[in-house]
Amino acid sequence: MPVLTKQDLEQAELPLMSDEALLSSSLDGNLVAFDLLVDRYYDRIYGYLYRFLKDSDMAEDLLQETFLRVWKKRGEFRNIASFSTWIYTIAGNLARSEWRRRKRWRMLRIGPSNNDDEPDYDLPDESAIPDQVVENRLAAAELIDEVAKLPERYRQVVILRDIQEMSYEEIAGIVQIPVGTVKSRLNRGRLILQEKLGKWYENER
Amino acid sequence: MRTRDEQGYCGLVSEVLSSYLDHSLSASLERDVATHLEECVSCRHRLEGISFLLTDLKKLNVIDAPQELSWSIKRAVHREARKEQAISLLKPFPFLASAAAAAIILVMVGFQGAAVSPSVGETTAPLETLSAVDQGQLQRYILPPQIGGFQGAGLYDDQVAMLDSTRSNAPIRLPGARAVSF
Ligand SMILES: [Zn+2]
């Protein structure tokens, strides 16, 4: 009859552990613990990156880079912030530098352009959006477009708050701005969206 | 409090409408806004618009991230872990460290299977010339049992292998380099 070792028991308890405990367990090289963190976060972080960049290939690349950085820096994590805040900060920083890199590239390219904040995209990859997500696909597509067109500082808080439903405090931690600034950016971002998309909501009244 | 400049006041209200929806205004300000909303159709419309918008934005939260994405992340992290572990174990032997780093990369290429890199045959050759290192020992450093031996990890590696075999010639994409070959 097989006897359970202490290590077996520890592994069995992993799924019940907090993110922070899993990360700490991965410090000793416990890859099963780290894999669980990947399972817990990969779709959320992917959603965040995808909504921010509106480019599924780039979101996939940055998603992998996010986890590699978390792995390499796992010894630097301090329990001042939650793991969630920490990983979102890493992903957000990667997304923002990518965004800026593209914007620079676009400015360097020859040829006229008429929108300063909109980088060149591939055609929108709508395969990532399930059909039933928003009933009116046209409205949904336009909403996604408009979110992606928001100036970066508004886009980030709108995605974190209104799409990913985080608290003001969490967002303040991730973006590293005061809660009051989170609120004002959010308000500004929502007003911009509401003005652009007002026509869709006229019919709902 | 109302001012005579109705438009100006609507502008002020619109600046806090979303905080109003989030119930994050002070009690007195919330009362003022509520009073204004009862009397002002255009601010009410704006509020409704934002509230519809928030409903739709929430629906965008559902994104089906492909499951194989989590596998490729885990695979990349496992690879990084093997590299770290091998390098740290070889630290006492600095003269081996650079040779080992090269060997690890080559071994990793080997793990990805011949389909991934056509040059595996020639790139594995230097490993055999590493006569200073007992190859069995090096292999143990590179693939310590506590990494390969977990049940979960084993299962996952099998899944990855299956995935790889169905996607021949699919290089592992690393950030910054679209198609990596060592
Ligand atoms: Zn008004």
Side-chain angles (χ1 to χ4, degrees):
Chain A
M1 188 176 141
V3 179
L4 283 176
T5 64
K6 186 166 170 281
Q7 200 192 28
D8 289 333
L9 289 172
E10 277 166 11
Q11 300 290 0
E13 279 172 9
L14 286 176
L16 306 172
M17 284 164 61
S18 71
D19 299 338
E20 292 76 17
L22 286 177
L23 189 74
S24 148
S25 187
S26 77
L27 277 177
D28 308 329
N30 187 339
L31 281 166
V32 178
F34 197 85
D35 284 354
L36 276 170
L37 284 173
V38 174
D39 289 335
R40 284 184 193 176
Y41 279 91
Y42 84 96
D43 51 354
R44 274 185 268 176
I45 301 290
Y46 177 79
Y48 176 43
L49 291 168
Y50 178 74
R51 292 295 175 220
F52 195 95
L53 297 163
K54 222 186 81 176
D55 175 330
S56 54
D57 281 351
M58 193 50 65
E60 287 182 22
D61 285 351
L62 293 189
L63 181 68
Q64 180 164 309
E65 178 62 14
T66 299
F67 279 102
L68 277 173
R69 287 201 184 185
V70 168
W71 171 262
K72 288 178 194 163
K73 289 170 179 276
R74 67 198 188 284
E76 293 169 28
F77 175 76
R78 300 286 171 271
N79 266 329
I80 306 163
S82 65
F83 175 78
S84 164
T85 301
W86 192 54
I87 189 172
Y88 267 96
T89 306
I90 292 174
N93 288 342
L94 284 170
R96 289 204 329 252
S97 8
E98 174 58 26
W99 183 265
R100 284 173 192 156
R101 193 184 62 75
R102 279 201 229 175
K103 211 164 145 182
R104 262 198 312 277
W105 165 238
R106 192 174 150 277
M107 279 157 69
L108 289 171
R109 278 169 59 191
I110 305 158
S113 76
N114 44 19
N115 187 336
D116 280 347
D117 204 56
E118 189 185 1
D120 273 349
Y121 290 124
D122 297 335
L123 283 174
D125 176 9
E126 296 208 21
S127 63
I129 310 155
D131 283 348
Q132 74 280 10
V133 166
V134 181
E135 285 166 20
N136 188 329
R137 279 190 66 80
L138 275 176
E142 195 169 338
L143 177 58
I144 291 165
D145 268 354
E146 293 301 341
V147 170
K149 278 187 207 163
L150 278 176
E152 183 192 306
R153 60 191 178 283
Y154 304 139
R155 187 174 355 128
Q156 199 177 12
V157 292
V158 165
I159 293 173
L160 291 173
R161 171 74 191 180
D162 294 334
I163 301 183
Q164 304 222 317
E165 301 185 58
M166 288 188 177
S167 70
Y168 288 137
E169 289 71 22
E170 279 177 292
I171 299 167
I174 290 166
V175 187
Q176 292 162 354
I177 51 174
V179 169
T181 313
V182 174
K183 288 186 191 178
S184 60
R185 285 190 187 179
L186 191 60
N187 193 63
R188 205 59 246 140
R190 285 173 179 176
L191 281 176
I192 294 173
L193 289 177
Q194 191 265 333
E195 269 159 35
K196 296 212 166 151
L197 297 159
K199 61 175 185 287
W200 294 109
Y201 303 123
E202 286 298 319
N203 305 328
E204 295 190 37
R205 290 197 178 103
Chain B
M1 277 268 290
R2 305 285 302 276
T3 66
R4 277 193 204 146
D5 181 5
E6 198 54 40
Q7 212 181 349
Y9 194 74
C10 290
L12 286 179
V13 167
S14 80
E15 290 301 317
V16 295
L17 274 184
S18 87
S19 299
Y20 177 80
L21 274 176
D22 286 348
H23 297 291
S24 65
L25 291 178
S26 69
S28 65
L29 192 51
E30 189 170 305
R31 254 195 323 274
D32 286 350
V33 173
T35 312
H36 178 76
L37 285 169
E38 273 173 28
E39 297 163 358
C40 178
V41 181
S42 76
C43 281
R44 219 158 45 225
H45 272 180
R46 196 173 285 136
L47 183 76
E48 281 172 5
I50 296 176
S51 129
F52 288 134
L53 171 77
L54 295 189
T55 310
D56 281 355
L57 282 170
K58 276 197 186 82
K59 294 176 192 164
L60 296 183
N61 198 11
V62 187
I63 286 192
D64 281 335
Q67 170 91 65
E68 58 259 37
L69 212 51
S70 77
W71 296 338
S72 72
I73 294 165
K74 289 172 189 172
R75 185 169 44 188
V77 171
H78 288 205
R79 212 162 42 218
E80 186 61 33
R82 284 190 207 108
K83 207 158 66 182
E84 266 177 24
Q85 186 140 11
I87 287 168
S88 76
L89 285 168
L90 285 168
K91 255 188 193 147
F93 315 102
F95 63 99
L96 287 178
S98 57
I104 293 152
I105 290 167
L106 298 175
V107 169
M108 285 178 341
V109 171
F111 286 147
Q112 287 164 29
V116 175
S117 165
S119 56
V120 162
E122 56 183 75
T123 53
T124 47
L127 187 63
E128 287 150 24
T129 65
L130 260 179
S131 53
V133 184
D134 169 31
Q135 276 193 39
Q137 211 177 358
L138 180 63
Q139 195 70 19
R140 261 207 315 284
Y141 285 149
I142 293 167
L143 254 186
Q146 65 267 38
I147 290 177
F150 288 148
Q151 270 194 324
L155 187 69
Y156 148 75
D157 279 344
D158 290 348
Q159 287 167 333
V160 168
M162 264 171 58
L163 204 70
D164 273 355
S165 66
T166 56
R167 299 198 326 197
S168 63
N169 265 338
I172 294 168
R173 275 192 301 135
L174 290 176
R178 308 296 293 201
V180 174
S181 57
F182 292 101

